[in-house]
Amino acid sequence: MTRFVIAVLLTVTNVIGAAVVYALAAWVVPLPGRHDVHIELLNLAVLGGYVPSAVLVGTWLGLRRYRRLDRWIVEERPATDREKTALLAAPRWFAWLHLALWGTAALVFGAVNAPSHVGRAALITWIVFLTGLTVSALAFLIVERRLRRVNRAALVTGLPARRRSRHVAARFGMAWLLSTGASAGGLVVAGLMAVVLGPGATTHVQLGVTMMALGAVVILVGGLTTFLTAQTTADPIRAMRSALTAVGKGRFDIQIGIDDATEIGELQAGFNDMVAGLREREQLRDLFGRHVGVDVAREALTTGVRLGGEVREVTVLFVDVMGSTTMATELDPDRVVALLNRFFDVVIDVIHEHDGWINKFEGDAALAIWGAPVAVAERNTRALAAARVLAARLHAEVPEIAAGVGISGGPVVCGNVGSADRYEYTVIGDAVNEAARLTSVAKEHPERCVANALLLADAGEEAAHWVEREPVIVRGRAAETRIAVPRS
């Protein structure tokens, strides 16, 4: 429907433009040789042949172009960046198409009339070209307005990454051309006719010069004023668009200047308020992620927060400092905090490097999970590698602190526990308890790292870095637990 409406409106506009040219040439502008029947018939014949041909060519090219613009609608899919760019450039393309067709018409009519009278040919060329400028401006505004509904549908998924449209300034230019430019150009032509073709009287010459001067002033001053007005409107919008691009890339320190108290100034102020809100929200999200972990924060932001849990297969790593009570009583508090910070720096680095998630810190201990809240491929492999590397790095980088590392796996209940006002994402199950108790066993081995040996069966090449030791009975259990430690 939009394609049909555009075709009809542009056809009607061009036909009216052709009628205006004929009326100006036949009855308004005093052309030389107006009463030469042969010249008039020749011009009518050219007009009757060129207008239908130009309408057919323009309609065919326009429909062909439009078919490429709405192909994504027919195929029922989102528009690509290339299709969005072409759609946004369509008003400019249609304007250039009309200007090309009318410019060709101006040259054709100039060539037809040149043999009989050069002045007549020049005036007809100028009249046709001015009318063509007017029709081109109308085509730009018509197409831009009729395509807005299509633009909204195409831009649901966002603006194209690369775009060159500058329609705000173009609208001002087309409006000036329609309201002032074409009329002032006609005034200049009328003045030129009074000077060149008048009877020679001083009053005619003076009137012609006055008309040309006024027309030139209107064109120059009106054009400059419109250009400056357009830039005054377009510059803040371009600045806001650049700021929006920066915000889209994650910069929330952007603030644009408020130029005035107009609607644009209110828009700029609203943009600054919006960015301030986004900045505060990003800070809260960053703090949220630091407290509960990035994966939990992302899951909560994506699916929302609800109390309750689910059963998941996970691998659990527990690391605990040995002799922390003695350390706290014998060392200055600042020294204790500094040591624990170094200790946790290594823990966090190793766990994140192996795609684990630190569920919680417990004073001098930490609990890391693989498999919740998001699934992790080869979780046993990654968790065992993390435990082995963690024990080695703690021994090398924080020798002042001795820590035991325990690792286990199995089904656990994980989810948000607490109340609607305050809750915590946590994991509960036998695997968590066993990992914590294996840290006590690890303190009795020089490797300071003990894993449930059953994890090695699904650890791939990582299993080669571990060796089984004598089974042990961990606290709270009657049956023995097979254990493994890293190879020396």
Side-chain angles (χ1 to χ4, degrees):
M1 185 63 182
T2 302
R3 184 189 312 177
F4 175 75
V5 172
I6 289 176
V8 170
L9 289 176
L10 293 183
T11 300
V12 171
T13 302
N14 282 277
V15 171
I16 292 175
V20 169
V21 168
Y22 179 78
L24 289 173
W27 299 305
V28 178
V29 180
L31 296 174
R34 167 177 289 178
H35 302 294
D36 189 331
V37 177
H38 174 73
I39 296 298
E40 288 187 357
L41 290 176
L42 179 61
N43 278 286
L44 278 174
V46 173
L47 182 67
Y50 185 83
V51 171
S53 301
V55 169
L56 288 176
V57 171
T59 302
W60 178 74
L61 290 175
L63 291 177
R64 183 183 176 190
R65 171 82 175 186
Y66 195 92
R67 275 198 299 270
R68 293 200 296 267
L69 295 179
D70 68 349
R71 184 177 300 164
W72 55 275
I73 297 178
V74 177
E75 297 176 359
E76 297 182 349
R77 59 173 175 81
T80 64
D81 270 12
R82 187 173 181 179
E83 289 168 334
K84 293 177 186 177
T85 302
L87 186 61
L88 293 174
R92 187 170 63 249
W93 185 89
F94 276 93
W96 280 111
L97 172 64
H98 282 75
L99 191 60
L101 293 173
W102 279 87
T104 303
L107 294 177
V108 168
F109 279 97
V112 167
N113 288 271
S116 62
H117 197 290
V118 175
R120 176 190 178 90
L123 287 172
I124 288 180
T125 300
W126 183 241
I127 291 171
V128 174
F129 182 71
L130 278 180
T131 307
L133 281 177
T134 305
V135 172
S136 299
L138 278 171
F140 178 94
L141 297 174
I142 289 171
V143 173
E144 186 186 44
R145 183 169 183 82
R146 301 306 306 183
L147 284 181
R148 283 185 178 177
R149 183 178 61 85
V150 183
N151 286 343
R152 284 194 291 268
L155 300 178
V156 166
T157 55
L159 289 169
R162 300 181 64 181
R163 51 193 180 274
R164 299 175 55 189
S165 57
R166 297 288 188 273
H167 285 187
V168 173
R171 286 189 201 121
F172 278 93
M174 298 303 176
W176 171 81
L177 186 61
L178 288 171
S179 62
T180 306
S183 301
L187 186 63
V188 172
V189 172
L192 181 62
M193 292 296 303
V195 173
V196 176
L197 304 176
T202 303
T203 55
H204 286 85
V205 174
Q206 289 179 342
L207 177 61
V209 171
T210 301
M211 293 173 67
M212 286 191 293
L214 289 175
V217 169
V218 170
I219 291 173
L220 293 175
V221 175
L224 180 60
T225 303
T226 303
F227 172 77
L228 294 176
T229 304
Q231 292 301 110
T232 301
T233 303
D235 285 346
I237 295 176
R238 292 193 190 111
M240 193 174 304
R241 189 182 67 183
S242 299
L244 279 171
T245 301
V247 171
K249 293 179 179 178
R251 288 190 56 192
F252 297 102
D253 57 340
I254 299 294
Q255 187 172 16
I256 58 176
I258 301 175
D259 296 328
D260 50 43
T262 63
E263 289 87 345
I264 292 179
E266 293 178 358
L267 185 62
Q268 291 169 327
F271 175 85
N272 288 337
D273 291 341
M274 179 196 71
V275 174
L278 289 174
R279 183 165 55 245
E280 182 179 358
R281 179 183 175 186
E282 184 64 21
Q283 291 170 347
L284 290 174
R285 186 168 66 174
D286 180 60
L287 290 173
F288 182 41
R290 291 174 185 270
H291 278 281
V292 303
V294 175
D295 290 333
V296 174
R298 187 179 294 115
E299 184 78 8
L301 291 171
T302 303
T303 63
V305 177
R306 62 182 184 276
L307 296 177
E310 59 179 338
V311 177
R312 281 180 177 261
E313 289 285 338
V314 301
T315 308
V316 182
L317 182 151
F318 202 90
V319 56
D320 186 24
V321 174
M322 300 165 54
S324 58
T325 303
T326 303
M327 182 176 64
T329 57
E330 293 181 354
L331 299 178
D332 292 334
D334 291 341
R335 174 66 173 163
V336 173
V337 172
L339 282 173
L340 288 176
N341 285 340
R342 286 172 53 199
F343 167 77
F344 284 123
D345 278 343
V346 176
V347 172
I348 293 170
D349 187 41
V350 173
I351 299 302
H352 287 175
E353 182 182 353
H354 292 83
D355 299 323
W357 165 59
I358 297 180
N359 175 244
K360 57 171 61 73
F361 297 103
E362 296 179 349
D364 58 353
L367 174 65
I369 308 292
W370 282 260
V374 294
V376 177
E378 300 178 336
R379 55 184 175 82
N380 287 344
T381 303
R382 297 175 187 272
L384 286 167
R388 177 171 53 82
V389 172
L390 178 60
R393 283 190 57 180
L394 287 175
H395 177 72
E397 299 177 26
V398 197
E400 302 93 332
I401 291 181
V405 179
I407 181 168
S408 181
V412 298
V413 175
C414 53
N416 295 308
V417 176
S419 68
D421 295 328
R422 186 176 179 85
Y423 46 81
E424 176 184 34
Y425 189 92
T426 189
V427 290
I428 304 169
D430 185 63
V432 180
N433 298 332
E434 185 178 65
R437 288 161 185 170
L438 286 177
T439 58
S440 300
V441 178
K443 297 171 184 178
E444 300 171 1
H445 290 74
E447 295 84 3
R448 296 287 190 264
C449 181
V450 171
N452 186 316
L454 296 178
L455 300 178
L456 301 179
D458 189 30
E461 296 180 357
E462 176 60 26
H465 296 284
W466 294 75
V467 60
E468 282 202 46
R469 292 286 174 83
E470 291 292 326
V472 298
I473 298 178
V474 298
R475 181 168 52 88
R477 290 192 174 183
E480 290 184 334
T481 299
R482 292 170 53 193
I483 63 171
V485 299
R487 291 184 184 275
S488 301

